[in-house]
Amino acid sequence: MKHFSLLLAALCSLFLAPCSLRAQSEQQIEDILSRMTLDEKIAVIHAQSKFSSPGVPRLGIPGLWCSDGPHGVRAEVLWDEWNQAGWTSDSCVAFPALTCLAATWNPEMSRLYGENLAEEALYRGKNVMLAPGVNIFRTPLNGRNFEYMGEDPYLASRMVVPYIQGVQSKGVAACVKHFALNNQETYRHLVDVKVSDRALYEIYLPAFKAAVTEAGVWSIMGSYNRYKGQYNCHNEYLLNDILRGEWGFDGAVISDWGGCQETPQAITNGLDLEFGTWTDGLTMGTTNSYDIYYLANPYKKLIQEGKVGTEELDNKVRNVLRLILRTSMNPNRGFGSLHSDEHYAAARKIATEGIVLLKNDVAKDKQPLLPIVGYVDEEEKVFNHKKPVETILVVGENAILPMTIGGGSSSLKVQREISPLQGISERAAKDGIEVYYSRGYVGVERLEQDNMSVDMSEEKYDYENGEDPKEEMLFLARACDVVIFIGGLNKDGHQDCEGVDRKEYELPYGQNELIEALYKANPNLVVVNISGTAVAMPWAKKVPAIVQAWYLGSEAGHAIADVLFGDVNPSGKLPFSIMEKLTDYPAHQYGELGYPGIPDPNAEGKFYEEYKEDIFVGYRYADKAKVKPIFPFGHGLSYTSFAYFVWYEDNADGTKTVKITVVNECKVAGSEVVQMYVGEDKPTVPRPVKELKAFQKVYLEPGESKTLTFTLDPKDWGYWDEDEHTFVTNPGYYTVYFGSSSRNIFWRYRRYYSLGKDY
């Protein structure tokens, strides 16, 4: 007892002392480690339940409680099962999917997201949030694209840092995932990814590096797939050489659930904490399953037999103890809060700022279709009221389908979820507008996960009364002033869902044909696409208004209505390119070798695939191949218009500063994102035409102007030299592009760089 009191006092002094004394943390860890038995050391490096690992009760060291996921705190599950535990106090506020967060192009929204998520985690007693995800959008078929931050490594890097900082500012660990090259669900446990070092360092690692070296993330999760023949939860090159060796990571590496595959590599190749279910993480096993994990009894037996030493074990325990000290033993952690008005307000703000207005052309009334209650006259630069809208027809299953259940580990139990139909109906009532609804198509009758379900069968049409629901819908469409189609994907299997990829690029359930029919019935058609990834849009040239709405969480309906009615001016920008067809994404140009993989001749029952497109992902490929996207990376419209005035200044250190004054030309407040891209004119190695290197988002009142400053540093414009194992900037001419998307460039100029200076 005396030892425990002394230890507790020492640990408290660690957090209460001035910052200069906190360097003693490593000494405290060594003190704890010296008191632990072999059994206690083995215990702390693997799970004791579905989402927890034990501490050291004898020494008063608490364990760790983890939770999915990136969009909210997951409901409590049974000790050894995925099924709900049956609590009545474990609901949460659902925040928008991370694709929506990335679409805000606003790091302040990332910080807000992280802080609010952590407060809910604190209230629920969680120490580690298994989030955020930063894998790169390589194919639109990836079932987990909605959990990630798009196709560009720079955008993902800038958005992930404040998210992590927000979470960890509350004493909750972020666990960035899935490290690395986890870009598909098909064969995710079997595939070995072959990728060049250039693509690895330029495309697939930058967001992870930023999480470690800039945000100081406290934990990181390995991925299921293989790289260089080793599983990534214990991959020597990724974890030992890069993560700890090159980046200096001092946190804990956590396996994905069931991602650990063998004891010897788990010992030597960087894994600290093994999680999963039963014996292999996924299927049935013995009742003492946690003791026979790869890092449990099998590891202890090797030590006892003298076949391995304890150096690796002690290092793993140090990393886990460091995570415990930062979280569950941090006396400065607050108590958090749950379901607060502030959390719902944050969810709504992030959602509205991430919604992307893809298209807003004139319709049959010769006015832009959105917002519903008015429009901005581009010639007069004023906001005009339209002919009053009296009736709206809402069509589509996604207008009523809850989107917080399903999708895999991101599935949530929410206190409330406002449907799009509810949000539109509530907002329309304020203007005396009558709203009608037709389901239009039937996609799912029951959406189920973790012993939770949504029964949609009562919403099916009654065909027995002799009525044709399609004809009734089209009759209403012709009669109403505006039709709003709300469709897209859902979080059912083979849609946006963990474990399975999409089967096709097209919208499911006959939605394309339905949209065409609705457009013929009434050209005043708004298509609201709800998805976490790109979808084919063969009707895009016809439909006057298209909105990308994402999975928006608890406040989905309110956020969609805010944008459609003009209460919020849309300012989201696409975090990925929307291409016309699947083969416009280069991963799909090389047959099964490029995606999803072919049988591996060197590993029976396993697969391998080659990232033959190399660094040319998304807009990088589109620029190179001169492929025109339907909607390009960075695209997003506003209800106002902006003007840009550009000049630059020379700095004493040889860099140049570009200043851009952005002017809001109309009588509607709004935000714009100025994007800076750079391309080398005559590269000596294959390089993209241009790459995103900076962006800034600015909010402007009507008629207001603000000046943005971009400092151009050519040292950041290099490519990864595989021989030198570093980034290199060649001398030569570079073109700097400024625009409101990757294709809408409003200013560019060339500059020469050589010998550390640019001219």
Side-chain angles (χ1 to χ4, degrees):
M1 190 65 181
K2 179 181 178 182
H3 287 166
F4 169 69
S5 299
L6 291 173
L7 179 62
L8 184 60
L11 290 171
C12 287
S13 69
L14 168 65
F15 292 99
L16 298 176
C19 292
S20 61
L21 298 180
R22 293 186 182 181
Q24 299 178 14
S25 61
E26 297 308 306
Q27 180 180 344
Q28 307 300 328
I29 290 171
E30 294 304 318
D31 183 57
I32 299 169
L33 184 65
S34 69
R35 302 169 189 268
M36 294 175 64
T37 67
L38 175 62
D39 284 340
E40 288 169 341
K41 291 177 180 179
I42 290 292
V44 301
I45 64 170
H46 65 83
Q48 66 176 353
S49 75
K50 180 71 70 177
F51 281 105
S52 73
S53 63
V56 190
R58 182 179 63 86
L59 298 178
I61 308 298
L64 293 167
W65 287 88
C66 305
S67 178
D68 290 316
H71 312 137
V73 186
R74 190 171 182 170
E76 303 299 329
V77 299
L78 297 173
W79 191 259
D80 277 326
E81 300 177 26
W82 291 112
N83 286 339
Q84 295 282 299
W87 291 20
T88 58
S89 58
D90 60 342
S91 61
C92 70
V93 173
F95 297 92
L98 291 191
T99 43
C100 176
L101 177 61
T104 69
W105 287 61
N106 187 348
E108 292 180 5
M109 290 298 99
S110 283
R111 177 79 188 205
L112 180 69
Y113 197 121
E115 290 176 350
N116 281 265
L117 176 64
E119 287 174 0
E120 299 233 333
L122 277 172
Y123 191 89
R124 293 271 303 279
K126 308 303 179 187
N127 312 118
V128 181
M129 286 302 297
L130 305 174
V134 293
N135 292 100
I136 293 297
F137 178 121
R138 178 177 179 255
T139 165
L141 302 188
N142 181 12
R144 299 188 83 166
N145 276 340
F146 71 101
E147 294 185 50
Y148 300 143
M149 295 188 178
E151 72 184 33
D152 185 77
Y154 182 82
L155 175 63
S157 298
R158 295 310 90 211
M159 296 301 290
V160 73
V161 169
Y163 180 112
I164 292 169
Q165 292 171 333
V167 170
Q168 295 185 170
S169 70
K170 305 293 182 178
V172 176
C175 184
V176 67
K177 61 184 186 182
H178 302 87
F179 189 63
L181 301 166
N182 188 81
N183 306 114
Q184 65 190 62
E185 293 299 283
T186 301
Y187 304 147
R188 67 176 181 170
H189 295 280
L190 304 171
V191 71
D192 189 0
V193 174
K194 299 185 184 301
V195 62
S196 73
D197 269 6
R198 272 200 69 192
L200 182 70
Y201 277 87
E202 291 186 23
I203 304 296
Y204 298 104
L205 290 186
F208 288 105
K209 182 179 180 181
V212 173
T213 62
E214 297 181 50
V217 70
W218 293 340
S219 61
I220 195 165
M221 182 186 290
S223 60
Y224 286 128
N225 52 288
R226 296 179 296 148
Y227 169 61
K228 293 184 180 292
Q230 294 180 347
Y231 282 96
N232 287 358
C233 284
H234 34 71
N235 188 294
E236 181 178 15
Y237 187 61
L238 290 176
L239 300 181
N240 290 346
D241 296 347
I242 296 176
L243 181 63
R244 295 204 187 276
E246 296 180 16
W247 300 347
F249 178 63
D250 71 350
V253 175
I254 299 175
S255 75
D256 204 341
W257 269 229
C260 184
Q261 299 292 332
E262 59 178 73
T263 299
Q265 285 191 7
I267 292 172
T268 60
N269 291 355
L271 178 63
D272 298 312
L273 188 51
E274 180 184 1
F275 272 96
T277 308
W278 304 103
T279 55
D280 66 357
L282 298 171
T283 56
M284 296 296 289
T286 61
T287 56
N288 65 334
S289 58
Y290 298 106
D291 288 336
I292 56 177
Y293 270 24
Y294 297 105
L295 286 183
N297 286 349
Y299 189 6
K300 184 173 73 171
K301 183 179 178 182
L302 291 175
I303 293 173
Q304 291 171 332
E305 293 175 348
K307 295 179 179 178
V308 298
T310 59
E311 180 181 356
E312 294 91 352
L313 174 61
D314 287 348
N315 284 334
K316 296 177 192 299
V317 175
R318 288 184 182 98
N319 294 330
V320 174
L321 288 176
R322 194 175 294 113
L323 182 59
I324 292 173
L325 291 178
R326 287 166 166 169
T327 58
S328 60
M329 293 196 73
N330 183 348
N332 295 325
R333 282 161 52 99
F335 296 100
S337 57
L338 195 66
H339 306 148
S340 70
D341 291 342
E342 291 80 6
H343 292 174
Y344 281 110
R348 186 169 180 171
K349 181 174 179 59
I350 295 164
T352 55
E353 194 159 330
I355 291 174
V356 183
L357 179 61
L358 296 176
K359 186 180 179 183
N360 192 26
D361 290 349
V362 297
K364 65 181 182 182
D365 292 330
K366 307 303 181 184
Q367 300 167 343
L369 192 49
L370 294 175
I372 289 172
V373 296
Y375 71 102
V376 174
D377 189 308
E378 289 293 334
E379 293 184 1
E380 299 297 328
K381 307 297 182 184
V382 297
F383 185 82
N384 290 334
H385 288 284
K386 299 177 179 178
K387 176 183 177 182
V389 173
E390 298 179 353
T391 55
I392 294 174
L393 173 64
V394 176
V395 178
E397 183 178 87
N398 282 1
I400 59 172
L401 179 66
M403 291 293 187
T404 52
I405 293 178
S409 59
S410 65
S411 182
L412 297 172
K413 176 181 177 182
V414 295
Q415 184 191 44
R416 72 170 189 247
E417 179 178 356
I418 306 300
S419 72
L421 179 61
Q422 180 183 348
I424 291 170
S425 298
E426 290 177 0
R427 178 59 183 84
K430 294 181 180 180
D431 285 328
I433 300 172
E434 193 167 0
V435 176
Y436 300 91
Y437 175 70
S438 175
R439 187 170 179 178
Y441 66 92
V442 177
V444 286
E445 294 187 31
R446 180 179 293 273
L447 191 61
E448 296 181 287
Q449 188 176 324
D450 302 348
N451 208 30
M452 294 188 299
S453 64
V454 177
D455 187 356
M456 299 288 289
S457 60
E458 292 185 4
E459 301 291 341
K460 291 185 70 174
Y461 294 116
D462 182 6
Y463 291 94
E464 296 180 359
N465 62 12
E467 296 180 357
D468 184 341
K470 182 178 179 181
E471 286 304 315
E472 180 182 348
M473 174 195 68
L474 294 177
F475 173 81
L476 285 171
R478 286 187 285 268
C480 288
D481 296 320
V482 175
V483 178
I484 303 174
F485 176 81
I486 303 179
L489 306 179
N490 55 53
K491 294 167 78 176
D492 203 3
H494 297 291
Q495 299 294 308
D496 278 321
C497 185
E498 179 186 359
V500 288
D501 284 341
R502 294 168 62 193
K503 294 181 178 180
E504 59 186 1
Y505 189 42
E506 303 296 322
L507 285 175
Y509 317 129
Q511 292 180 73
N512 288 334
E513 293 78 10
L514 182 58
I515 291 170
E516 294 277 1
L518 287 170
Y519 176 73
K520 290 180 180 179
N522 189 340
N524 283 344
L525 174 63
V526 181
V527 172
V528 178
N529 180 65
I530 295 178
S531 71
T533 189
V535 301
M537 297 181 175
W539 30 263
K541 292 182 179 179
K542 298 179 183 178
V543 173
I546 306 172
V547 174
Q548 178 63 42
W550 319 110
Y551 303 113
L552 298 176
S554 290
E555 290 291 300
H558 287 153
I560 289 172
D562 287 342
V563 170
L564 294 182
F565 284 82
D567 299 329
V568 172
N569 193 347
S571 63
K573 301 282 188 175
L574 284 176
F576 50 70
S577 310
I578 299 180
M579 302 294 194
E580 181 179 355
K581 56 186 182 299
L582 188 60
T583 52
D584 288 339
Y585 298 93
H588 294 274
Q589 296 180 356
Y590 304 100
E592 293 184 351
L593 178 62
Y595 170 88
I598 62 176
D600 189 339
N602 300 316
E604 185 177 355
K606 295 182 173 60
F607 294 78
Y608 79 95
E609 69 178 337
E610 295 186 18
Y611 286 15
K612 295 180 75 67
E613 72 279 6
D614 203 53
I615 61 172
F616 295 99
V617 176
Y619 71 90
R620 289 166 168 81
Y621 169 77
D623 285 350
K624 172 190 174 185
K626 295 181 172 55
V627 173
K628 185 178 181 180
I630 301 176
F631 298 108
F633 172 79
H635 171 76
L637 304 178
S638 171
Y639 293 149
T640 188
S641 61
F642 302 96
Y644 314 91
F645 301 92
V646 187
W647 71 98
Y648 64 87
E649 300 174 349
D650 295 320
N651 300 320
D653 62 358
T655 61
K656 291 189 187 304
T657 296
V658 174
K659 295 189 175 182
I660 300 177
T661 298
V662 185
V663 182
N664 183 349
E665 296 184 306
C666 297
K667 300 297 183 181
V668 179
S671 297
E672 175 64 309
V673 179
V674 176
Q675 304 162 36
M676 186 186 91
Y677 299 82
V678 177
E680 186 177 358
D681 287 4
K682 295 181 179 181
T684 57
V685 298
R687 299 200 66 181
V689 174
K690 59 182 180 294
E691 300 174 273
L692 182 69
K693 293 298 180 181
F695 64 87
Q696 292 187 48
K697 191 166 192 174
V698 59
Y699 174 82
L700 298 168
E701 294 290 344
E704 185 182 11
S705 65
K706 290 181 181 178
T707 299
L708 307 179
T709 298
F710 293 82
T711 299
L712 310 184
D713 189 347
K715 291 191 296 293
D716 298 329
W717 300 353
Y719 66 93
W720 183 259
D721 188 308
E722 295 183 346
D723 294 328
E724 298 293 329
H725 199 74
T726 189
F727 280 94
V728 173
T729 303
N730 285 334
Y733 282 100
Y734 291 79
T735 300
V736 182
Y737 307 81
F738 287 90
S740 58
S741 79
S742 63
R743 289 295 176 98
N744 186 24
I745 303 300
F746 57 76
W747 189 76
R748 73 185 73 192
Y749 80 107
R750 295 176 75 219
R751 56 191 305 189
Y752 186 80
Y753 170 80
S754 179
L755 302 177
K757 297 181 180 180
D758 59 284
Y759 307 92

